[in-house]
Amino acid sequence: MIRILLVDDQRLVRAGFRSILDGEDDFAVVAEAADGREALQAAHDHRPDVVLMDIRMPVLDGLAATRHLLEDPGVTAKVIILTTFDLDEDVYSALRAGASGFLVKDTEPEELIHAVRVVARGDALLAPSITRRLIAEFAARVTRPAASPALDRLTDREREVLALVAAGLSNDEIARELTLSPATAKTHVSRIMTKTGTHDRAQLVVLAYESGAVTPRWLAL
């Protein structure tokens, strides 16, 4: 059972998401919160697996709440950021804060359900509609790469896989690109996360670009 915390200052929005999620046998919406401060308390009280977090809220906004949650060793939840615009300035900041997924609020119910499941198992990055565009936005801002000793432990194959993760490819797409089985691609990604101390694909993308391990072609020209 995937335990979910809904965080949004609009009650109708929370009700809409709950109506979609409650219809799934493997989902349980364990709590709701109207602002980031309530979200922090609810995360401690109910131990959700996934938090659907709005960005713009009173008292404590979604960005600050996400940072607090992911810095707390007692919280293991994955955060999916909800945004009105698919290239919202704040989404870039949320990616750096370690959020595991991003969805626009007008996403289709099937995409929401899928996103919760894949984020819960650690496989998600971003909604398909914004993945490569947001990565491009992120990469374009990185001007001074900082070396990361963690990357020295990667094999040549793992570096190839890291570059494809940073390009927004899923495990299945990585498998096709490198002529591997999907299970082998997933194993490579898991090993990379273990070696680099990252907890999901979003953090891998941040590490890849901020360390200079991956340089997009449009920046290298």
Side-chain angles (χ1 to χ4, degrees), residues 165-181:
V165 170
L169 272 65
S170 67
N171 287 343
D172 287 345
E173 290 171 330
I174 291 171
R176 289 194 294 271
E177 182 75 16
L178 299 179
T179 318
L180 304 171
S181 71

Side-chain angles (χ1 to χ4, degrees), residues 31-77:
E32 297 182 16
D35 59 59
R37 186 169 297 170
E38 288 184 9
L40 297 179
Q41 186 62 53
H44 279 282
D45 292 345
H46 299 279
R47 301 296 177 182
D49 301 303
V50 175
V51 179
L52 290 177
M53 180 82 74
D54 186 23
I55 285 184
R56 305 191 188 284
M57 296 181 293
V59 184
L60 187 69
D61 65 31
L63 288 177
T66 296
R67 283 193 293 269
H68 285 304
L69 280 175
L70 298 178
E71 289 170 357
D72 187 340
V75 175
T76 59

Side-chain angles (χ1 to χ4, degrees), residues 112-188:
L112 173 64
I113 292 167
H114 176 71
V116 169
R117 289 195 177 114
V118 294
V119 165
R121 66 175 184 255
D123 288 341
L125 176 58
L126 309 170
S129 63
I130 63 174
T131 299
R132 290 167 178 80
R133 291 170 61 194
L134 185 56
I135 288 175
E137 181 76 5
F138 185 95
R141 297 166 185 252
V142 178
T143 56
R144 296 182 180 178
S148 173
L151 295 177
D152 294 337
R153 296 192 289 271
L154 300 184
T155 65
D156 290 341
R157 173 62 87 184
E158 287 167 346
R159 287 178 177 274
E160 286 183 284
V161 172
L162 176 61
L164 296 176
V165 170
L169 272 65
S170 67
N171 287 343
D172 287 345
E173 290 171 330
I174 291 171
R176 289 194 294 271
E177 182 75 16
L178 299 179
T179 318
L180 304 171
S181 71
T184 300
K186 183 176 181 179
T187 296
H188 280 309

